[in-house]
Amino acid sequence: MNIAEKEAALVRLGQYLAEKSPELEAVKERAYIANGWFIPSFIDNALDNISQYFLSPAPLRQWLAGYPTIGNSRTPKTVGIVSAGNIPLVGFHDWLCGFVSGHQVKMKLSGKDEILMKHILEKMNEWYPEQAGQTEIQDMLKNCDAYIATGSNNSARYFHYYFAKYPHIIRHNRTSAAILTGKETPEELSALADDIMLYFGLGCRNVTKIYIPVNYDFVPLLKALEKYSYLADHHKYKNNYDYNLALLLLNASPYMTNGTLLLQENTSLFSPLSVLHYSYYIDMAQLQQELSGEEALQCLVGQAFTPFGNAQQPSLSDYADGVDTMKFFLEI
Protein backbone atom coordinates (compact mmCIF):
# COMPACT_ATOMS: atom_id res chain seq x y z
CA MET A 1 0.00 0.00 0.00
CA ASN A 2 1.25 3.48 -0.80
CA ILE A 3 0.77 6.37 1.60
CA ALA A 4 -2.49 7.50 -0.04
CA GLU A 5 -3.93 4.00 0.31
CA LYS A 6 -2.85 3.85 3.94
CA GLU A 7 -4.46 7.21 4.59
CA ALA A 8 -7.70 5.93 3.09
CA ALA A 9 -7.48 2.77 5.18
CA LEU A 10 -7.08 4.78 8.37
CA VAL A 11 -10.02 7.01 7.50
CA ARG A 12 -12.09 3.87 6.99
CA LEU A 13 -10.98 2.61 10.40
CA GLY A 14 -11.95 5.92 11.97
CA GLN A 15 -15.43 5.67 10.47
CA TYR A 16 -15.76 2.12 11.82
CA LEU A 17 -14.78 3.20 15.33
CA ALA A 18 -17.25 6.08 15.20
CA GLU A 19 -20.19 3.96 14.03
CA LYS A 20 -20.36 1.78 17.19
CA SER A 21 -21.55 -1.32 15.33
CA PRO A 22 -22.96 -4.32 17.24
CA GLU A 23 -19.65 -6.09 16.58
CA LEU A 24 -17.67 -3.26 18.16
CA GLU A 25 -20.12 -3.00 21.06
CA ALA A 26 -19.52 -6.67 21.82
CA VAL A 27 -15.76 -6.09 21.81
CA LYS A 28 -16.18 -3.16 24.18
CA GLU A 29 -18.14 -5.38 26.55
CA ARG A 30 -15.38 -8.00 26.51
CA ALA A 31 -12.78 -5.31 27.20
CA TYR A 32 -14.77 -4.08 30.19
CA ILE A 33 -15.18 -7.60 31.57
CA ALA A 34 -11.44 -8.20 31.22
CA ASN A 35 -10.51 -4.88 32.87
CA GLY A 36 -12.99 -3.26 35.24
CA TRP A 37 -11.28 0.13 34.87
CA PHE A 38 -12.36 0.26 31.22
CA ILE A 39 -15.96 1.27 31.79
CA PRO A 40 -18.03 1.66 28.58
CA SER A 41 -18.20 5.47 28.71
CA PHE A 42 -14.41 5.74 28.96
CA ILE A 43 -13.90 3.27 26.11
CA ASP A 44 -16.32 5.37 24.05
CA ASN A 45 -14.30 8.47 24.89
CA ALA A 46 -11.09 6.83 23.70
CA LEU A 47 -12.70 5.58 20.49
CA ASP A 48 -14.26 8.99 19.79
CA ASN A 49 -10.94 10.77 20.33
CA ILE A 50 -9.13 8.40 17.96
CA SER A 51 -11.78 8.65 15.25
CA GLN A 52 -12.11 12.44 15.54
CA TYR A 53 -8.58 13.67 16.27
CA PHE A 54 -6.43 10.92 14.73
CA LEU A 55 -8.37 9.36 11.86
CA SER A 56 -10.54 12.14 10.44
CA PRO A 57 -9.41 13.10 6.93
CA ALA A 58 -8.35 16.70 7.65
CA PRO A 59 -6.15 16.22 10.75
CA LEU A 60 -4.70 12.99 9.36
CA ARG A 61 -3.75 14.62 6.05
CA GLN A 62 -2.30 17.66 7.79
CA TRP A 63 -0.20 15.47 10.09
CA LEU A 64 1.12 13.33 7.23
CA ALA A 65 1.99 16.46 5.26
CA GLY A 66 4.41 17.41 8.02
CA TYR A 67 6.64 14.47 7.01
CA PRO A 68 7.58 14.98 3.32
CA THR A 69 9.66 11.78 3.18
CA ILE A 70 6.92 9.54 4.49
CA GLY A 71 6.04 8.23 1.05
CA ASN A 72 9.64 7.41 0.12
CA SER A 73 10.62 3.78 -0.28
CA ARG A 74 12.74 2.44 2.59
CA THR A 75 14.12 -0.86 3.74
CA PRO A 76 11.64 -2.10 6.34
CA LYS A 77 13.03 -2.45 9.84
CA THR A 78 11.41 -4.36 12.67
CA VAL A 79 10.27 -2.20 15.57
CA GLY A 80 9.16 -3.68 18.88
CA ILE A 81 6.51 -1.75 20.80
CA VAL A 82 5.85 -2.40 24.49
CA SER A 83 2.46 -0.86 25.24
CA ALA A 84 1.07 0.29 28.57
CA GLY A 85 -2.43 -0.58 29.73
CA ASN A 86 -3.49 2.36 31.88
CA ILE A 87 -6.19 3.73 29.53
CA PRO A 88 -8.03 2.19 26.55
CA LEU A 89 -5.95 1.94 23.35
CA VAL A 90 -3.05 3.89 24.84
CA GLY A 91 -0.68 2.19 22.37
CA PHE A 92 -2.71 3.04 19.28
CA HIS A 93 -0.66 6.10 18.30
CA ASP A 94 2.60 4.12 18.34
CA TRP A 95 1.05 1.49 16.08
CA LEU A 96 -0.32 4.20 13.79
CA CYS A 97 3.17 5.65 13.30
CA GLY A 98 4.55 2.21 12.54
CA PHE A 99 1.77 1.45 10.08
CA VAL A 100 2.19 4.57 7.97
CA SER A 101 6.01 4.39 8.06
CA GLY A 102 6.00 0.98 6.40
CA HIS A 103 8.14 -0.74 9.02
CA GLN A 104 7.37 -4.15 10.50
CA VAL A 105 5.75 -3.77 13.92
CA LYS A 106 5.84 -6.27 16.75
CA MET A 107 3.62 -5.31 19.66
CA LYS A 108 3.66 -6.58 23.21
CA LEU A 109 0.28 -5.54 24.55
CA SER A 110 -0.52 -5.13 28.21
CA GLY A 111 -2.87 -7.78 29.53
CA LYS A 112 -5.02 -4.89 30.75
CA ASP A 113 -5.55 -3.52 27.24
CA GLU A 114 -5.27 -6.16 24.54
CA ILE A 115 -8.83 -6.86 23.42
CA LEU A 116 -9.53 -3.50 21.73
CA MET A 117 -6.18 -3.30 19.92
CA LYS A 118 -6.39 -6.89 18.74
CA HIS A 119 -9.84 -6.22 17.32
CA ILE A 120 -8.60 -3.17 15.42
CA LEU A 121 -5.77 -5.19 13.90
CA GLU A 122 -8.16 -8.00 13.00
CA LYS A 123 -10.43 -5.56 11.17
CA MET A 124 -7.50 -4.03 9.28
CA ASN A 125 -6.31 -7.52 8.28
CA GLU A 126 -9.82 -8.43 7.19
CA TRP A 127 -10.11 -5.33 4.99
CA TYR A 128 -6.51 -5.30 3.75
CA PRO A 129 -5.12 -8.85 3.82
CA GLU A 130 -2.04 -7.73 1.87
CA GLN A 131 -0.98 -5.77 5.00
CA ALA A 132 -1.72 -8.56 7.45
CA GLY A 133 1.93 -9.39 8.06
CA GLN A 134 3.05 -5.84 8.87
CA THR A 135 1.93 -6.02 12.52
CA GLU A 136 2.36 -8.99 14.85
CA ILE A 137 1.27 -9.41 18.45
CA GLN A 138 3.93 -11.17 20.50
CA ASP A 139 4.49 -12.04 24.16
CA MET A 140 8.28 -11.67 23.84
CA LEU A 141 9.91 -9.04 21.66
CA LYS A 142 13.10 -10.42 20.18
CA ASN A 143 15.24 -9.73 17.12
CA CYS A 144 13.94 -6.19 16.61
CA ASP A 145 15.97 -3.37 15.09
CA ALA A 146 14.48 -0.69 17.36
CA TYR A 147 12.18 -0.45 20.35
CA ILE A 148 9.52 1.80 21.84
CA ALA A 149 8.63 1.02 25.44
CA THR A 150 6.17 2.70 27.77
CA GLY A 151 5.99 2.02 31.49
CA SER A 152 6.77 3.21 34.98
CA ASN A 153 10.02 4.78 36.08
CA ASN A 154 10.96 1.41 37.54
CA SER A 155 10.28 -0.57 34.36
CA ALA A 156 12.06 2.13 32.33
CA ARG A 157 15.31 1.21 34.07
CA TYR A 158 14.95 -2.34 32.79
CA PHE A 159 14.03 -1.10 29.32
CA HIS A 160 17.15 1.06 29.22
CA TYR A 161 19.24 -1.96 30.19
CA TYR A 162 17.73 -4.35 27.64
CA PHE A 163 17.37 -1.93 24.73
CA ALA A 164 20.43 0.29 25.23
CA LYS A 165 22.25 -0.90 22.11
CA TYR A 166 19.24 -0.37 19.83
CA PRO A 167 17.58 2.84 18.65
CA HIS A 168 14.82 3.36 21.21
CA ILE A 169 12.19 5.54 22.79
CA ILE A 170 11.69 4.76 26.46
CA ARG A 171 8.94 6.58 28.30
CA HIS A 172 8.72 7.22 32.03
CA ASN A 173 6.03 8.22 34.50
CA ARG A 174 4.40 11.49 33.56
CA THR A 175 1.40 13.43 34.72
CA SER A 176 -0.35 16.75 34.09
CA ALA A 177 -1.19 19.85 36.09
CA ALA A 178 -3.45 22.88 35.86
CA ILE A 179 -2.94 26.52 36.81
CA LEU A 180 -6.12 28.27 37.95
CA THR A 181 -6.74 31.98 38.40
CA GLY A 182 -9.93 31.74 40.45
CA LYS A 183 -11.85 33.45 37.64
CA GLU A 184 -12.73 30.30 35.68
CA THR A 185 -16.28 30.04 34.38
CA PRO A 186 -18.54 27.13 35.38
CA GLU A 187 -18.02 25.77 31.86
CA GLU A 188 -14.24 25.86 32.24
CA LEU A 189 -14.40 24.13 35.61
CA SER A 190 -16.67 21.46 34.15
CA ALA A 191 -14.13 20.88 31.41
CA LEU A 192 -11.35 20.74 34.02
CA ALA A 193 -13.33 18.02 35.78
CA ASP A 194 -12.95 15.96 32.59
CA ASP A 195 -9.20 16.57 32.60
CA ILE A 196 -9.04 15.29 36.18
CA MET A 197 -11.54 12.43 36.23
CA LEU A 198 -11.61 10.84 32.76
CA TYR A 199 -10.21 7.30 32.85
CA PHE A 200 -10.34 7.59 36.67
CA GLY A 201 -7.26 9.83 36.44
CA LEU A 202 -5.03 6.98 35.28
CA GLY A 203 -3.61 8.66 32.16
CA CYS A 204 -0.42 10.68 31.90
CA ARG A 205 -2.50 13.56 30.52
CA ASN A 206 -4.84 13.52 33.53
CA VAL A 207 -4.51 16.51 35.84
CA THR A 208 -3.32 15.28 39.25
CA LYS A 209 -2.17 18.65 40.61
CA ILE A 210 -3.68 22.13 40.52
CA TYR A 211 -1.98 25.43 41.34
CA ILE A 212 -4.30 28.04 42.82
CA PRO A 213 -4.04 31.65 44.03
CA VAL A 214 -4.14 32.47 47.73
CA ASN A 215 -7.70 32.62 49.12
CA TYR A 216 -8.99 30.42 46.29
CA ASP A 217 -12.66 29.44 46.62
CA PHE A 218 -12.89 25.66 46.21
CA VAL A 219 -16.68 25.47 46.22
CA PRO A 220 -17.23 26.03 42.45
CA LEU A 221 -14.57 23.41 41.63
CA LEU A 222 -16.03 20.84 44.03
CA LYS A 223 -19.44 21.48 42.51
CA ALA A 224 -18.10 21.01 38.97
CA LEU A 225 -16.50 17.71 39.98
CA GLU A 226 -19.91 16.38 41.02
CA LYS A 227 -20.53 15.42 37.39
CA TYR A 228 -18.34 12.39 38.16
CA SER A 229 -20.08 11.47 41.41
CA TYR A 230 -21.18 8.20 39.78
CA LEU A 231 -17.59 6.95 40.04
CA ALA A 232 -18.21 6.47 43.76
CA ASP A 233 -20.33 3.46 42.77
CA HIS A 234 -17.37 1.84 41.02
CA HIS A 235 -15.95 -0.62 43.54
CA LYS A 236 -12.32 -0.42 42.38
CA TYR A 237 -12.35 3.36 42.51
CA LYS A 238 -14.28 3.42 45.82
CA ASN A 239 -11.71 1.11 47.42
CA ASN A 240 -8.97 3.59 46.52
CA TYR A 241 -11.04 6.51 47.81
CA ASP A 242 -11.75 4.78 51.13
CA TYR A 243 -8.11 3.78 51.55
CA ASN A 244 -6.76 7.28 50.89
CA LEU A 245 -9.45 8.84 53.09
CA ALA A 246 -8.41 6.51 55.92
CA LEU A 247 -4.77 7.55 55.51
CA LEU A 248 -5.68 11.22 55.70
CA LEU A 249 -7.80 10.65 58.80
CA LEU A 250 -5.14 8.54 60.53
CA ASN A 251 -2.48 11.17 59.85
CA ALA A 252 -4.82 14.00 60.82
CA SER A 253 -4.09 15.62 57.44
CA PRO A 254 -6.40 18.43 56.32
CA TYR A 255 -8.45 17.61 53.23
CA MET A 256 -11.59 18.49 51.30
CA THR A 257 -13.94 16.18 49.46
CA ASN A 258 -17.16 16.09 47.50
CA GLY A 259 -17.61 12.41 48.34
CA THR A 260 -15.87 11.23 45.17
CA LEU A 261 -12.51 13.02 45.06
CA LEU A 262 -10.16 14.03 47.88
CA LEU A 263 -8.33 17.38 47.68
CA GLN A 264 -5.09 17.62 49.65
CA GLU A 265 -2.46 20.33 49.82
CA ASN A 266 0.74 18.61 48.70
CA THR A 267 3.86 19.65 46.81
CA SER A 268 3.99 16.47 44.68
CA LEU A 269 2.82 16.54 41.06
CA PHE A 270 1.73 12.93 41.34
CA SER A 271 -1.29 12.12 43.45
CA PRO A 272 -2.77 8.75 44.40
CA LEU A 273 -5.87 7.53 42.59
CA SER A 274 -8.95 9.39 43.93
CA VAL A 275 -6.80 12.28 45.24
CA LEU A 276 -6.11 15.69 43.69
CA HIS A 277 -3.13 17.65 45.00
CA TYR A 278 -3.08 21.43 45.16
CA SER A 279 -0.54 24.14 45.96
CA TYR A 280 -0.86 27.90 46.28
CA TYR A 281 1.08 30.36 44.15
CA ILE A 282 1.68 34.11 44.33
CA ASP A 283 3.27 34.92 40.96
CA MET A 284 1.97 33.02 37.92
CA ALA A 285 4.92 33.98 35.69
CA GLN A 286 7.36 32.64 38.25
CA LEU A 287 5.31 29.46 38.64
CA GLN A 288 5.23 28.94 34.88
CA GLN A 289 9.00 29.36 34.73
CA GLU A 290 9.45 26.79 37.49
CA LEU A 291 7.20 24.28 35.74
CA SER A 292 8.79 24.79 32.32
CA GLY A 293 11.72 22.59 33.30
CA GLU A 294 9.64 19.89 34.96
CA GLU A 295 10.36 16.68 33.03
CA ALA A 296 7.52 14.76 34.70
CA LEU A 297 4.93 17.17 33.31
CA GLN A 298 3.16 15.94 30.20
CA CYS A 299 0.55 18.67 29.89
CA LEU A 300 -0.15 22.03 31.54
CA VAL A 301 -3.80 23.08 31.54
CA GLY A 302 -5.20 26.57 32.03
CA GLN A 303 -6.55 29.69 30.38
CA ALA A 304 -3.10 30.54 28.98
CA PHE A 305 -2.06 26.95 28.30
CA THR A 306 -3.77 23.78 27.04
CA PRO A 307 -7.48 24.71 27.09
CA PHE A 308 -9.63 23.21 29.82
CA GLY A 309 -11.14 19.93 28.67
CA ASN A 310 -8.46 19.30 26.04
CA ALA A 311 -5.95 17.38 28.15
CA GLN A 312 -7.46 14.06 27.12
CA GLN A 313 -7.99 15.13 23.51
CA PRO A 314 -4.43 15.02 22.14
CA SER A 315 -3.78 15.68 18.48
CA LEU A 316 -1.60 13.49 16.29
CA SER A 317 1.33 15.81 17.01
CA ASP A 318 0.97 15.67 20.79
CA TYR A 319 3.64 13.04 21.25
CA ALA A 320 4.10 11.24 24.56
CA ASP A 321 7.05 12.65 26.53
CA GLY A 322 7.45 15.24 23.74
CA VAL A 323 9.40 12.79 21.56
CA ASP A 324 8.37 12.75 17.87
CA THR A 325 7.46 9.09 17.33
CA MET A 326 6.85 9.50 13.61
CA LYS A 327 10.28 11.06 13.12
CA PHE A 328 11.81 8.14 15.03
CA PHE A 329 10.19 5.63 12.67
CA LEU A 330 11.33 7.54 9.59
CA GLU A 331 14.94 7.88 10.72
CA ILE A 332 15.79 4.40 12.01
Side-chain angles (χ1 to χ4, degrees):
M1 299 174 74
N2 59 35
I3 193 63
E5 292 170 330
K6 288 183 177 181
E7 180 183 337
L10 291 170
V11 170
R12 180 181 181 182
L13 176 62
Q15 293 169 343
Y16 171 76
L17 297 179
E19 288 170 358
K20 308 293 193 301
S21 66
E23 180 183 15
L24 184 56
E25 291 298 312
V27 173
K28 283 169 45 185
E29 179 66 21
R30 288 198 291 115
Y32 173 50
I33 292 171
N35 182 351
W37 293 109
F38 287 9
I39 61 175
S41 61
F42 288 168
I43 295 178
D44 279 339
N45 192 80
L47 295 176
D48 290 342
N49 283 348
I50 288 173
S51 62
Q52 181 177 353
Y53 300 110
F54 288 3
L55 304 182
S56 291
L60 182 59
R61 188 171 298 116
Q62 182 180 6
W63 176 63
L64 293 173
Y67 302 92
T69 65
I70 199 168
N72 296 353
S73 61
R74 57 180 55 86
T75 302
K77 301 288 183 67
T78 300
V79 182
I81 298 175
V82 182
S83 292
N86 51 326
I87 66 175
L89 290 170
V90 69
F92 180 85
H93 191 277
D94 287 338
W95 169 80
L96 173 62
C97 292
F99 174 74
V100 297
S101 72
H103 291 299
Q104 297 294 118
V105 175
K106 293 183 179 180
M107 296 190 75
K108 184 184 188 306
L109 299 174
S110 167
K112 299 176 182 178
D113 182 27
E114 58 181 357
I115 292 174
L116 294 166
M117 194 68 216
K118 284 182 177 179
H119 178 68
I120 285 175
L121 294 176
E122 288 167 0
K123 293 305 292 185
M124 292 292 283
N125 292 343
E126 174 189 326
W127 297 333
Y128 310 101
E130 70 276 16
Q131 291 294 125
Q134 186 183 355
T135 304
E136 300 177 35
I137 303 297
Q138 295 190 344
D139 293 328
M140 294 285 290
L141 297 181
K142 294 183 177 181
N143 303 317
C144 295
D145 301 302
Y147 291 90
I148 298 174
T150 304
S152 65
N153 288 343
N154 187 50
S155 61
R157 288 194 290 268
Y158 292 96
F159 293 147
H160 277 292
Y161 174 79
Y162 288 117
F163 305 146
K165 64 180 180 180
Y166 304 96
H168 60 262
I169 296 175
I170 297 176
R171 305 189 182 112
H172 302 70
N173 279 355
R174 287 218 174 192
T175 192
S176 299
I179 299 179
L180 308 184
T181 65
K183 299 179 181 179
E184 287 75 21
T185 66
E187 292 75 19
E188 287 174 325
L189 292 177
S190 178
L192 174 61
D194 296 336
D195 297 329
I196 296 168
M197 301 299 292
L198 275 173
Y199 309 121
F200 297 99
L202 290 169
C204 67
R205 297 182 67 88
N206 280 109
V207 169
T208 56
K209 172 72 176 281
I210 58 172
Y211 294 90
I212 53 176
V214 178
N215 298 321
Y216 180 77
D217 181 7
F218 285 92
V219 173
L221 175 60
L222 289 168
K223 184 176 181 180
L225 287 163
E226 289 177 0
K227 67 189 288 189
Y228 285 95
S229 60
Y230 67 92
L231 296 187
D233 296 326
H234 187 276
H235 70 282
K236 288 177 175 286
Y237 182 84
K238 187 62 162 57
N239 288 343
N240 280 271
Y241 176 89
D242 290 342
Y243 174 77
N244 287 304
L245 176 59
L247 288 180
L248 291 170
L249 292 172
L250 286 170
N251 293 320
S253 299
Y255 70 92
M256 290 172 281
T257 183
N258 62 353
T260 305
L261 185 69
L262 297 157
L263 275 67
Q264 178 192 20
E265 186 173 3
N266 194 300
T267 58
S268 175
L269 275 174
F270 293 88
S271 65
L273 186 67
S274 75
V275 180
L276 176 67
H277 287 168
Y278 66 88
S279 290
Y280 293 99
Y281 70 88
I282 297 175
D283 187 301
M284 182 181 291
Q286 180 181 351
L287 172 62
Q288 186 178 354
Q289 183 177 2
E290 292 172 357
L291 293 177
S292 64
E294 180 53 67
E295 292 184 357
L297 200 59
Q298 179 68 44
C299 184
L300 187 60
V301 174
Q303 291 176 336
F305 314 103
T306 299
F308 294 109
N310 284 21
Q312 287 297 350
Q313 297 177 357
S315 71
L316 284 162
S317 299
D318 288 324
Y319 295 102
D321 287 19
V323 179
D324 190 326
T325 315
M326 191 69 249
K327 182 181 178 183
F328 174 78
F329 271 102
L330 296 177
E331 293 183 351
I332 56 175

